[in-house]
Amino acid sequence: MFHQISEKYKAIQASICTSLEACDRTGIFSDDPWERSIGKGMTRVMQRGEKIAKAAVNYSSVQGLYNDELSKVGGSKGTFYQATGISSIVHPVNPYSPIIHFNIRYFQLSSGECWFGGGIDLTPHYVDEREAIWFHSRLKSICDAYHPSFYHDFKTEADNYFYSPHRDETRGVGGIFFDMLKPSNDLTFNDLLEFTLDLGKNYAPIYNSIITKNHTKPYGNRELMWQNIRRGRYVEFNLIHDRGTKFGLLSGGNCESILVSLPPMASWEYNFQVEKFSEEENTLNMLKKGIDWVNLPRYE
Amino acid sequence: MFHQISEKYKAIQASICTSLEACDRTGIFSDDPWERSIGKGMTRVMQRGEKIAKAAVNYSSVQGLYNDELSKVGGSKGTFYQATGISSIVHPVNPYSPIIHFNIRYFQLSSGECWFGGGIDLTPHYVDEREAIWFHSRLKSICDAYHPSFYHDFKTEADNYFYSPHRDETRGVGGIFFDMLKPSNDLTFNDLLEFTLDLGKNYAPIYNSIITKNHTKPYGNRELMWQNIRRGRYVEFNLIHDRGTKFGLLSGGNCESILVSLPPMASWEYNFQVEKFSEEENTLNMLKKGIDWVNLPRYE
């Protein structure tokens, strides 16, 4: 069973890479298989593409004992675990294109417990409300096909998860996030597996639509500078708060694969202030929890 | 007593800024006083100087209750603490100049316990062995004036502290680091205070000598790229491992002041490989614990 899921996830990795390569037109993914005591994986990375500055699509299949440190990030001590998953990130060239992140994972413990986790979330350097509404609507329609409460629940979890308390800002406009998703009366194990696969199939097409609309927008030094400031906030979130990064580094994962989510470039300026009534200020105002994107007026 | 120490530390802040401004010649420190429930402080920052890309010299005087989170980074729960200190960092323009970091702090608990902490450490983008030997010799002579075991003990602590397990590399060539330093039969409270002040007085002159020797060295894109890669490692250490950063963010400190240690720019390239027998490879080979710098041959 574990092996079958792992193989299905691997196929998702291949389809995401093919789709992102077709979108970028010049960038190519490298293949970097790895094996260590913890398990094996395949890190696929595109750098310096035409539209994509850096993209990663990682597959891994790992196992080990839950120790003190790992139990802090989920699960109980003393049990043997197996985990397989795909995680992906895209840092675009154009500051008007957003960063996107996707993850699906399956966990299985020796106690018999098992669950799925994952999500998709969008981090625009410049928030475009219509784009955020469209993005959330797409996620909602995938979720709705499985369970009427999925979108609402997982959107709320994303708001809470992708949040930096030290800045009091969300990482971006959110999306969906779920963890410890287990079979229930409503949904079989297979339904949940299909749900994660469905997210995997939709991730690249959703992002391709977004990047295609933005990649020709003109920009200059101001926008590049702001992009690097926002990328710096992304680094802060990933290194200070993200449980996936912590789990990976603590469990003895491949550090280059784990940290491939970091942007090609980032900057920190002390006490950077945005101009009043600027696009940058508008973006900061949108980095809040609880915005009901799918029910916002669409100005159309 | 607490107030007197705090005032002496504030005077150290002023002298460091004056000295770094004289060295840079064009950069000026801004004054950014802050006050919040946790206490007060003065953040002084220089950005875009001639030799110095970004420097910060922070003074703070804070108090609060040790809670669950804070007790993980030192001290015991349920006690009231007061802390005052200076921390400083310099990110130079020229990749051949090293990053430097300095900190002195005094902690006092309601239980009557009190201690000093601090250190100075050097993070070259390119390790110059003679410079590292000279730097360590200077630190040793300051330490030796107070206690014959200080240099050895604090150098070892720095090796252990400024280390990124996920990269298996030290942050730079180390220096000295000490924490929970308390009066003993050998040394009075006043000796320890003087020791921290002595470090404060020597920090800027030591760095000025180093930057003056390096700032005219020619460099190109290759060196700038490597500088940004090394700055990325610095970001990783500070956000993943550094206890001072964690303490600051958890205790409700001023986030802009705490994160002012981050470099003006940093980059991450997947699986970056240095060339064989290059200066970059030589640097990586030197990022190890336990190098006995003061007893290395000086090639003179």
Side-chain angles (χ1 to χ4, degrees):
Chain A
M1 168 89 88
F2 181 83
H3 180 72
Q4 278 174 23
I5 296 174
S6 197
E7 288 301 306
K8 285 185 179 178
Y9 281 2
K10 212 189 249 175
I12 293 287
Q13 179 192 33
S15 77
I16 291 171
C17 292
T18 306
S19 173
L20 291 176
E21 280 177 354
C23 167
D24 189 77
R25 296 169 56 154
T26 61
I28 299 284
F29 278 94
S30 68
D31 284 13
D32 220 346
W34 57 268
E35 235 182 299
R36 14 172 95 197
S37 57
I38 192 191
K40 62 186 166 55
M42 167 76 91
T43 305
R44 301 195 63 190
V45 180
M46 176 196 292
Q47 295 187 107
R48 288 174 283 273
E50 192 181 305
K51 302 172 194 167
I52 293 173
K54 186 178 182 183
V57 190
N58 295 354
Y59 156 79
S60 66
S61 171
V62 299
Q63 68 281 318
L65 270 176
Y66 258 41
N67 57 25
D68 267 14
E69 283 301 314
L70 290 179
S71 64
K72 282 183 204 155
V73 291
S76 45
K77 277 199 260 183
T79 44
F80 181 78
Y81 73 91
Q82 282 181 286
T84 184
I86 300 291
S87 67
S88 174
I89 190 157
V90 184
H91 288 283
V93 172
N94 192 310
Y96 286 109
S97 296
I99 305 164
I100 197 164
H101 165 249
F102 157 76
N103 170 235
I104 48 176
R105 57 191 181 274
Y106 171 66
F107 256 80
Q108 188 171 291
L109 300 186
S110 48
S111 59
E113 232 185 319
C114 62
W115 66 86
F116 292 91
I120 306 185
D121 73 288
L122 199 69
T123 306
H125 310 97
Y126 286 99
V127 173
D128 172 336
E129 291 183 40
R130 265 181 289 195
E131 182 179 277
I133 292 168
W134 180 82
F135 172 71
H136 275 271
S137 308
R138 293 284 288 116
L139 295 181
K140 185 170 185 300
S141 61
I142 303 168
C143 288
D144 286 352
Y146 292 86
H147 198 282
S149 78
F150 269 10
Y151 172 74
H152 175 266
D153 292 350
F154 301 163
K155 189 270 184 201
T156 307
E157 280 198 57
D159 277 0
N160 291 329
Y161 184 82
F162 297 109
Y163 172 72
S164 285
H166 70 284
R167 296 277 181 194
D168 188 23
E169 45 181 61
T170 53
R171 182 163 84 171
V173 298
I176 57 171
F177 180 85
F178 56 99
D179 203 2
M180 311 289 282
L181 187 64
K182 297 174 184 180
S184 65
N185 293 338
D186 291 348
L187 291 159
T188 65
F189 183 91
N190 207 51
D191 291 336
L192 300 183
L193 172 61
E194 283 302 318
F195 171 59
T196 62
L197 295 171
D198 225 3
L199 290 177
K201 285 170 198 152
N202 278 282
Y203 158 63
I206 288 174
Y207 189 64
N208 289 354
S209 297
I210 294 174
I211 204 170
T212 301
K213 264 179 53 195
N214 292 308
H215 86 104
T216 54
K217 288 185 180 164
Y219 59 89
N221 281 336
R222 173 185 175 137
E223 290 78 15
L224 285 172
M225 192 181 160
W226 177 245
Q227 181 180 41
N228 280 332
I229 298 267
R230 296 311 309 166
R231 284 167 164 181
R233 301 290 188 271
Y234 205 87
V235 171
E236 291 175 19
F237 177 83
N238 284 21
L239 297 185
I240 301 175
H241 305 295
D242 187 55
R243 293 204 296 265
T245 305
K246 271 187 203 160
F247 176 86
L249 294 176
L250 290 172
S251 63
N254 178 335
C255 133
E256 280 293 334
S257 297
I258 296 161
L259 298 178
V260 74
S261 64
L262 301 180
M265 192 72 96
S267 75
W268 283 269
E269 164 132 7
Y270 174 69
N271 226 355
F272 184 83
Q273 298 296 323
V274 295
E275 274 175 37
K276 282 257 167 241
F277 311 116
S278 63
E279 281 188 280
E280 291 82 7
E281 188 188 50
N282 181 54
T283 288
L284 290 185
N285 290 336
M286 293 286 162
L287 300 179
K288 306 277 178 230
K289 292 182 185 187
I291 299 177
D292 185 10
W293 293 105
V294 293
N295 290 311
L296 282 190
R298 284 166 199 246
Y299 318 102
E300 278 167 346
Chain B
M1 168 90 91
F2 181 82
H3 181 72
Q4 277 174 24
I5 296 173
S6 198
E7 289 299 308
K8 283 184 179 179
Y9 281 2
K10 211 189 250 175
I12 293 285
Q13 180 192 34
S15 77
I16 292 171
C17 292
T18 305
S19 173
L20 290 176
E21 280 177 353
C23 168
D24 190 77
R25 296 170 57 156
T26 61
I28 297 286
F29 279 94
S30 68
D31 285 13
D32 220 346
W34 57 268
E35 239 183 296
R36 13 172 97 196
S37 58
I38 191 190
K40 62 188 165 53
M42 166 77 90
T43 304
R44 301 195 62 190
V45 180
M46 176 196 290
Q47 294 187 109
R48 288 175 284 273
E50 193 182 306
K51 302 171 194 167
I52 293 174
K54 186 177 181 183
V57 191
N58 295 354
Y59 157 79
S60 67
S61 171
V62 299
Q63 67 282 316
L65 269 177
Y66 259 42
N67 57 24
D68 266 14
E69 284 301 313
L70 290 180
S71 64
K72 282 183 204 154
V73 290
S76 45
K77 276 200 259 184
T79 44
F80 181 78
Y81 73 90
Q82 282 181 287
T84 184
I86 300 290
S87 67
S88 174
I89 189 157
V90 184
H91 287 283
V93 172
N94 192 310
Y96 286 109
S97 296
I99 305 164
I100 198 165
H101 165 249
F102 158 76
N103 169 236
I104 49 176
R105 56 190 181 273
Y106 171 66
F107 256 80
Q108 188 172 290
L109 299 186
S110 49
S111 59
E113 232 185 320
C114 62
W115 66 86
F116 292 91
I120 306 185
D121 72 288
L122 199 69
T123 305
H125 309 98
Y126 287 98
V127 173
D128 172 337
E129 291 183 40
R130 266 181 288 195
E131 183 179 276
I133 292 168
W134 179 83
F135 172 71
H136 274 272
S137 307
R138 293 285 287 114
L139 295 180
K140 184 170 186 302
S141 61
I142 303 168
C143 287
D144 286 352
Y146 292 86
H147 198 283
S149 79
F150 269 10
Y151 173 73
H152 175 265
D153 292 351
F154 301 163
K155 189 270 183 201
T156 307
E157 280 198 57
D159 276 1
N160 291 329
Y161 185 82
F162 297 109
Y163 172 72
S164 286
H166 70 284
R167 296 277 182 193
D168 188 23
E169 49 182 51
T170 53
R171 182 162 82 170
V173 297
I176 57 171
F177 179 85
F178 55 98
D179 203 2
M180 310 290 283
L181 186 64
K182 297 175 184 181
S184 65
N185 292 340
D186 291 347
L187 290 159
T188 65
F189 183 90
N190 207 51
D191 291 336
L192 301 182
L193 172 61
E194 284 302 319
F195 172 59
T196 62
L197 295 171
D198 225 3
L199 289 177
K201 285 170 198 153
N202 278 282
Y203 159 62
I206 288 174
Y207 190 63
N208 289 355
S209 296
I210 293 174
I211 205 171
T212 302
K213 263 179 54 195
N214 291 310
H215 87 104
T216 54
K217 289 185 180 164
Y219 61 88
N221 282 336
R222 173 186 177 136
E223 290 78 14
L224 286 171
M225 191 180 161
W226 177 245
Q227 180 180 41
N228 280 332
I229 298 268
R230 297 311 308 166
R231 284 166 164 180
R233 301 291 189 271
Y234 205 87
V235 171
E236 291 175 20
F237 177 84
N238 284 21
L239 298 185
I240 302 174
H241 304 295
D242 187 55
R243 291 205 296 265
T245 305
K246 271 187 203 159
F247 176 85
L249 294 175
L250 290 172
S251 63
N254 178 335
C255 133
E256 281 291 335
S257 297
I258 296 161
L259 298 179
V260 73
S261 65
L262 301 179
M265 192 72 94
S267 74
W268 283 269
E269 163 131 8
Y270 174 68
N271 226 355
F272 183 83
Q273 299 295 321
V274 295
E275 275 175 35
K276 283 258 168 239
F277 313 115
S278 63
E279 282 187 280
E280 291 82 7
E281 188 189 50
N282 181 54
T283 288
L284 290 185
N285 290 335
M286 294 285 163
L287 301 179
K288 307 278 178 228
K289 292 183 186 186
I291 299 178
D292 186 10
W293 294 105
V294 293
N295 290 311
L296 283 190
R298 281 166 202 246
Y299 317 102
E300 281 168 344

